[in-house]
Amino acid sequence: MNKPLRRVAIFCGLLVLALLVRVNWVQFVEGDQLKNDPHNRRVAIERYSTPRGNIIVDGKAITGSTTTDSGDFKYKRTYKNGKMWAPVTGYASQAFDANQLEKLNDGILSGTDDRLFFSRTVDMFTGGKQKGGNVVTTLDARAQKAAYDGLGKQKGAVAAINPETGAILALASTPSYDPSSFAGMSNKDAEAYSALQKKNDADEPMLNRALRQTYPPGSTFKVVTASAALENGLYHDVNSKTDSPLPYTLPDTSGLPLKNEGNIPCKDASLREALRWSCNTVFGKISADLGNKKMKAEAEKFGFNDPGINTPVRASESIYPTDNRPQNAMAGIGQASNRATPLQMAMVASAVANGGKLMKPYMVDQLVAPNLNVVQKHTPQEMSQPLSAENAQKVQSIMETVVKQGTGTSAQIPGVTVGGKTGTAQHGENNKDNPYAWFISYAKTDKGTPVAVAVVIEGSDTLRDDIAGGKLAAPIAKRVMQAVLEGEK
Amino acid sequence: MSSSTTNTTTIGTIGAPSRRNTELAMLIFAVLIPVFAYINVGLAKDGSVPAGVLGYSLGLGLLAGVAHLVVRKWAPYADPLMLPIATLLNGLGLIFIWRLDQEPSLGKAMAPNQLMWSTLGVAFFLAILIFLKDHRVLQRYTYISMVVALVLLVAPVFFPGVNGAKIWITIPGLGSLQPGEFAKIIIAIFFAGYLMVKRDALALASRRFMGLYLPRGRDLGPILVIWALSLMILVFETDLGTSLLFFGLFVVMLYVATERTSWIVFGLLLSAGGAVAVATFESHVQTRVHNWLNPLELLNGGVTETAQAMYSFGSGGILGSGLGQGYSRLILGIAPKSDYILATVGEEVGLAGLMAILLLYGLLIERGIRTALAARDPFGKLLSIGLSGAFALQVFVVAGGVTGLIPLTGMTMPFLAQGGSSVIANWALVAILLRISDTARRPAPAPAPSTDAEMTQVVRP
């Protein structure tokens, strides 16, 4: 009987071998993947096992951590003035994961990032607890407060950029939410989270309107159209008459007119006058004359049609459409299929203000290790040059006229040169919904151009003309610019 | 007689060294390792040496010491490795159960009970060594054991199922019992006795067809009966593990008894046929197979137990998180302390520790098979291969199931997992193997001196 016995012995050996191979496969080959699987609760347990690092604005933390006794997770996120900062920080919740800066920099904040290897190793040997690093933002607390308070109870968003570097100074979105309200994992947190969801709150408080919502930019887009006209040599002088009829009929249509808001002097108006009065006829015709291709090319230089604008939080793609002639003419005045995020329009203003150079927008200046060593520092990068320096001067000059004597007078700041453009974008089929009030602007002092800002307010029910942008949005832009300028002093 | 001192194998017609001192040295390790592990868990969980460490060390040491002395007295030539391996596995099992007792979410403490069952198991082990002087006595009970095994296997049908498998019988006031664990030993006794008698008929009376020896219809009878019985267990008790164990055991023993490969072919064909047939209409089995094929699938948006076990293994990595520092408590539900205890092992002592434990099982199995090789009587050979084979299959089925190598079946990891029936049955199993190995390695009575033999011996320079 020994021959079959030996074979059975080999068989049993093979069974054990199979088990050994299998555990090697699971624990060694697939180990890392299983260990870091998002559904593996240990990932979250580790994330909340130590106080998270903080998100810093102006040298002060706008986040914090507190201990909880709710099950597996030791620490819970807290937010200072959470509603105001939510569009910047995003949230980190024990039960609902994290998003935006909290998610993107999770490795640094939770201390697991490979770049913190050294400090982790030191902690291991000294017996210290693993600590998280900090994320230092470019935001300006005063500007943010001005933006958030300015929006108040209205639905809208503000994005402010430093044109010279691309640093984001303010990013407000209303209505907002307090990420502290669901940072834990109790039933109360779950209720708070659920109440904020779109299906339970039509106002979508968790939508980051400054980065993630696109709107028709309305008349503010005329700045891009004017830039396209100058860059393509359609007009050279912003003060000489254009060849613009009134009324103007949309191309390729059987007499469909493009109307202006009210009875304004737009016939053959110069670029300066046309922008001052916000002439649809003039800019619609410019767009039609340049054609879809050239208009699109110029818009793209400003950042349209780029799905990868990361601040590092990704901004939604702004769209300048490929379209037929009448639609392209409409897109040239910021209507039809033209869509832009508030950040995008702030980028337009900042490129003009920065002598035609568009800097890449960013809001994380430094990543800092727990021992305060800088792990990563952002260096300002040029994204593109939509305008020559000379043409940028021209566009600046006409934008300044808008604030001095046009639709944007409410953005004037004594002793400071302000350039701007209002906009009231039609919205809904046959214009039935309330329009969006827009304002984009920049402020210049003799020391430089520290701020460009875009404001959008949804659903304003005031008059359907460009005054809406001037009336509602411009004062907010003004407060934000003032806040930045005060900080400069 | 010089050969008796240089012979180091367990197979030897002439006397092998008893190796009792080797066993003692190994036992010291087998006691010390769990004691250190116990201290380690305490330090990791509370930062202090657990209060029970002295009692536990003394208890485990005493059990091992008494077992050793009894082996020394009543089975002096027994295999020296089996007792230490069983002690080590049981000791580690106790540590892991105690460690999981520290997790409030996993229910009431089980370690004290397990310690009691382990003591009972060792007592049973000692009783077998003391009272079973010769394993061939068991041969007398061939048909009685058949009846007992059938009763044990069928009994759970009349009791309510637990977590989808009817493998328990509940005795009011005493708790529940898993008769399958005992059935595997008793059925091995029955098969060994039965096959020893019938092996010639099964092996020789067959026709050759396409290179295989086809058994005669009347000899095919028993295998079909066993096959049907194992399917019935599967269907009525929804116990994949026991039916697989039961049938696998029979095929292995049949093969060893008859030395005919054809039996294996039949066995595999029948088990494959049975498995497919049952899987087509038994939803319980289908679920297990589905979970096996999709281990990380989400169920109602939540993570399944199978996935939790996989995450445990993956998170353990190569060196593990350290005793007491893992999160295998996340495997809620059925059995983190029994079926899934390997996941805790994998997470906390890592790939290295898990492989060490699997190798301990492998070593125990191979020592059992070695006993079978060394045994001089066919009954002893069959019984020991049956017991080792059953043990091997059980280890494979459980460990393979928990690690996702094969579909999960409800069985316990011998010695390691929580469960009274299991630990007692496995101690009994080791006792019988030790008894057989003692008989096998016992020096044969010195042959009468023969002058002729002396003269034919070759003398090498």
Side-chain angles (χ1 to χ4, degrees):
Chain A
M1 273 193 260
N2 280 358
K3 200 168 118 195
L5 278 177
R6 285 180 212 282
R7 286 189 182 153
V8 172
I10 291 169
F11 174 69
C12 290
L14 287 177
L15 288 186
V16 175
L17 187 68
L19 291 177
L20 290 174
V21 170
R22 176 63 187 175
V23 294
N24 272 281
W25 178 259
V26 173
Q27 298 204 264
F28 182 66
V29 180
E30 284 188 331
D32 271 353
Q33 195 189 333
L34 289 167
K35 186 176 180 175
N36 301 317
D37 189 295
H39 296 295
N40 187 344
R41 202 172 164 78
R42 290 165 190 78
V43 175
I45 289 176
E46 181 167 10
R47 180 188 293 155
Y48 298 106
S49 66
T50 52
R52 261 167 104 71
N54 284 316
I55 296 175
I56 310 282
V57 171
D58 286 346
K60 281 183 221 138
I62 54 169
T63 56
S65 284
T66 175
T67 49
T68 62
D69 47 6
S70 55
D72 297 340
F73 301 147
K74 203 162 167 210
Y75 289 91
K76 180 172 106 160
R77 199 54 150 164
T78 57
Y79 294 87
K80 291 167 195 156
N81 211 344
K83 277 194 164 186
M84 183 170 101
W85 290 112
V88 179
T89 57
Y91 59 81
S93 162
Q94 292 179 343
F96 304 102
D97 198 19
N99 76 354
Q100 303 196 15
L101 281 192
E102 291 272 33
K103 176 84 168 178
L104 291 166
N105 294 301
D106 190 51
I108 292 285
L109 290 167
S110 60
T112 55
D113 193 289
D114 285 341
R115 289 170 291 183
L116 300 179
F117 177 77
F118 180 71
S119 100
R120 268 213 313 276
T121 312
V122 171
D123 285 344
M124 203 171 81
F125 284 113
T126 58
K129 280 207 114 184
Q130 177 179 312
K131 277 180 265 168
N134 290 341
V135 174
V136 179
T137 67
T138 58
L139 280 107
D140 178 327
R142 291 197 223 199
Q144 179 76 6
K145 186 163 172 21
Y148 182 70
D149 291 351
L151 287 168
K153 287 200 164 31
Q154 306 170 91
K155 210 194 273 187
V158 175
I161 304 180
N162 179 335
E164 291 162 2
T165 59
I168 294 177
L169 302 171
L171 211 58
S173 169
T174 52
S176 188
Y177 65 100
D178 184 359
S180 299
S181 66
F182 57 92
M185 54 181 302
S186 67
N187 288 340
K188 225 177 85 196
D189 294 280
E191 278 164 28
Y193 182 75
S194 147
L196 291 167
Q197 299 306 298
K198 192 179 178 180
K199 61 178 189 291
N200 297 322
D201 188 340
D203 285 343
E204 290 185 75
M206 286 180 71
L207 175 65
N208 186 347
R209 291 178 164 78
L211 296 181
R212 298 276 173 88
Q213 179 72 315
T214 59
Y215 302 91
S219 301
T220 56
F221 191 79
K222 287 170 185 164
V223 174
V224 177
T225 309
S227 303
L230 293 168
E231 281 291 295
N232 290 294
L234 186 64
Y235 299 108
H236 294 284
D237 187 347
V238 292
N239 296 315
S240 58
K241 286 191 171 181
T242 57
D243 175 23
S244 328
L246 189 76
Y248 171 68
T249 311
L250 284 172
D252 295 353
T253 61
S254 45
L256 201 65
L258 182 64
K259 285 182 190 150
N260 288 322
E261 293 288 341
N263 187 17
I264 48 178
C266 291
K267 188 171 165 41
D268 294 329
S270 66
L271 282 177
R272 184 183 300 280
E273 290 303 305
L275 197 72
R276 178 180 168 197
W277 297 110
S278 199
C279 293
N280 291 344
T281 48
V282 176
F283 289 103
K285 183 168 182 290
I286 289 175
S287 184
D289 288 353
L290 287 171
N292 185 252
K293 229 176 165 178
K294 285 181 181 166
M295 280 302 292
K296 198 173 159 205
E298 181 65 13
E300 283 174 1
K301 281 191 205 166
F302 277 104
F304 281 78
N305 298 343
D306 181 351
I309 295 179
N310 300 324
T311 70
V313 177
R314 175 158 299 183
S316 292
E317 185 180 4
S318 300
I319 306 284
Y320 191 89
T322 304
D323 228 329
N324 58 26
R325 289 195 74 205
Q327 289 290 317
N328 175 57
M330 296 288 284
I333 59 165
Q335 297 289 162
S337 304
N338 193 335
R339 290 283 178 285
T341 59
L343 177 75
Q344 173 60 62
M345 292 319 290
M347 284 160 68
V348 168
S350 80
V352 171
N354 192 38
K357 253 190 249 168
L358 177 61
M359 301 303 287
K360 187 179 181 306
Y362 68 100
M363 63 171 156
V364 174
D365 185 38
Q366 294 177 7
L367 299 179
V368 182
N371 59 5
L372 302 181
N373 279 352
V374 175
V375 173
Q376 186 184 314
K377 178 154 177 55
H378 184 91
T379 33
Q381 286 165 352
E382 190 180 319
M383 207 171 139
S384 63
Q385 173 125 24
L387 282 165
S388 68
E390 189 192 347
N391 285 337
Q393 286 294 331
K394 292 178 188 167
V395 179
Q396 280 179 25
S397 124
I398 60 174
M399 282 177 77
E400 282 154 22
T401 305
V402 170
V403 175
K404 240 176 261 167
Q405 320 158 313
T407 52
T409 47
S410 49
Q412 288 171 359
I413 303 171
V416 178
T417 312
V418 177
K421 180 69 194 90
T422 55
T424 306
Q426 296 172 349
H427 173 214
E429 237 172 278
N430 296 325
N431 219 353
K432 69 175 165 32
D433 294 328
N434 286 326
Y436 299 122
W438 275 94
F439 192 72
I440 64 171
S441 66
Y442 62 85
K444 269 200 309 196
T445 64
D446 42 4
K447 281 186 240 151
T449 315
V451 59
V453 55
V455 177
V456 65
I457 290 175
E458 285 180 36
S460 65
D461 45 8
T462 38
L463 294 171
R464 290 169 179 255
D465 58 25
D466 267 305
I467 308 295
K471 221 185 215 166
L472 292 166
I476 301 174
K478 178 183 164 179
R479 287 173 67 175
V480 173
M481 290 188 292
Q482 274 179 317
V484 174
L485 292 169
E486 272 167 38
E488 287 281 298
K489 279 178 197 161
Chain B
M1 297 301 284
S2 66
S3 64
S4 71
T5 51
T6 53
N7 186 0
T8 52
T9 65
T10 51
I11 315 167
T13 47
I14 316 171
S18 78
R19 299 257 178 237
R20 289 279 68 78
N21 292 335
T22 313
E23 183 184 77
L24 183 61
M26 295 289 189
L27 266 178
I28 292 173
F29 278 110
V31 172
L32 280 182
I33 293 171
V35 167
F36 282 132
Y38 188 37
I39 296 174
N40 186 346
V41 175
L43 287 174
K45 293 302 275 186
D46 315 317
S48 63
V49 177
V53 74
L54 197 66
Y56 176 80
S57 320
L58 286 176
L60 197 64
L62 205 66
L63 279 184
V66 170
H68 171 72
L69 288 177
V70 167
V71 171
R72 208 173 254 273
K73 172 87 171 71
W74 275 279
Y77 291 94
D79 187 287
L81 276 180
M82 286 196 229
L83 177 61
I85 293 175
T87 309
L88 179 56
L89 288 173
N90 196 351
L92 286 176
L94 280 166
I95 300 303
F96 279 108
I97 294 163
W98 182 75
R99 178 259 167 281
L100 288 169
D101 283 347
Q102 311 304 306
E103 306 290 353
S105 58
L106 296 182
K108 63 179 183 359
M110 301 250 187
N113 265 338
Q114 181 73 0
L115 188 59
M116 188 192 82
W117 292 121
S118 304
T119 313
L120 264 176
V122 174
F124 209 51
F125 167 91
L126 300 178
I128 289 175
L129 282 183
I130 294 170
F131 295 109
L132 185 66
K133 296 268 188 264
D134 187 337
H135 62 270
R136 277 166 292 193
V137 173
L138 295 173
Q139 216 172 325
R140 290 182 210 152
Y141 304 107
T142 303
Y143 291 97
I144 293 177
S145 41
M146 178 188 76
V147 174
V148 174
L150 284 180
V151 168
L152 285 177
L153 283 173
V154 173
V157 176
F158 304 105
F159 292 88
V162 178
N163 304 315
K166 294 185 122 187
I167 53 174
W168 302 89
I169 54 176
T170 336
I171 304 161
L174 266 177
S176 47
L177 201 79
Q178 223 172 327
E181 292 282 350
F182 297 100
K184 82 182 171 205
I185 298 177
I186 295 167
I187 213 149
I189 295 173
F190 161 60
F191 284 161
Y194 177 81
L195 290 172
M196 203 195 71
V197 177
K198 302 280 175 173
R199 55 191 283 242
D200 288 342
L202 285 165
L204 300 174
S206 54
R207 284 163 296 171
R208 201 177 155 81
F209 177 71
M210 286 176 68
L212 287 174
Y213 289 93
L214 288 186
R216 292 184 305 190
R218 76 178 94 144
D219 298 325
L220 203 57
I223 198 171
L224 288 175
V225 169
I226 302 285
W227 174 70
L229 197 60
S230 64
L231 282 191
M232 273 159 61
I233 297 173
L234 185 52
V235 173
F236 291 111
E237 302 177 11
T238 55
D239 183 4
L240 205 59
T242 306
S243 59
L244 206 117
L245 178 71
F246 182 31
F247 193 67
L249 173 64
F250 182 63
V251 170
V252 166
M253 290 180 75
L254 201 54
Y255 169 62
V256 172
T258 60
E259 307 189 28
R260 285 275 180 266
T261 325
S262 49
W263 288 111
I264 293 192
V265 176
F266 280 113
L268 288 179
L269 285 178
L270 283 174
S271 56
V276 169
V278 172
T280 48
F281 65 86
E282 188 62 57
S283 68
H284 180 71
V285 178
Q286 284 167 4
T287 315
R288 292 278 169 98
V289 172
H290 178 86
N291 289 346
W292 170 57
L293 294 173
N294 311 284
L296 299 184
E297 186 189 44
L298 295 180
L299 197 67
N300 304 325
V303 178
T304 58
E305 236 169 61
T306 330
Q308 290 288 17
M310 296 311 280
Y311 292 149
S312 277
F313 283 114
S315 304
I318 294 174
L319 294 176
S321 61
L323 280 168
Q325 293 174 303
Y327 292 97
S328 54
R329 64 155 180 269
L330 297 172
I331 315 168
L332 290 168
I334 307 184
K337 293 182 193 176
S338 51
D339 295 24
Y340 276 116
I341 198 150
L342 265 194
T344 306
V345 176
E347 179 169 4
E348 304 206 337
V349 295
L351 177 60
L354 186 52
M355 288 213 292
I357 284 187
L358 289 175
L359 286 174
L360 283 178
Y361 280 113
L363 200 55
L364 190 53
I365 294 159
E366 296 297 339
R367 291 315 288 188
I369 298 174
R370 202 166 180 86
T371 300
L373 280 166
R376 298 180 194 132
D377 62 308
F379 178 75
K381 271 182 186 300
L382 281 173
L383 183 53
S384 46
I385 193 67
L387 295 177
S388 325
F391 195 86
L393 280 174
Q394 185 162 357
V395 168
F396 178 74
V397 164
V398 185
V402 174
T403 55
L405 180 61
I406 56 170
L408 187 72
T409 56
M411 273 213 275
T412 50
M413 205 67 200
F415 293 116
L416 213 55
Q418 181 269 328
S421 326
S422 169
V423 83
I424 294 176
N426 285 308
W427 273 114
L429 188 151
V430 169
I432 298 173
L433 282 176
L434 275 186
R435 167 54 65 220
I436 300 172
S437 78
D438 175 54
T439 316
R441 297 172 81 247
R442 192 184 294 269
S450 154
T451 42
D452 291 349
E454 289 295 329
M455 291 186 55
T456 55
Q457 227 163 25
V458 180
V459 180
R460 291 175 192 279

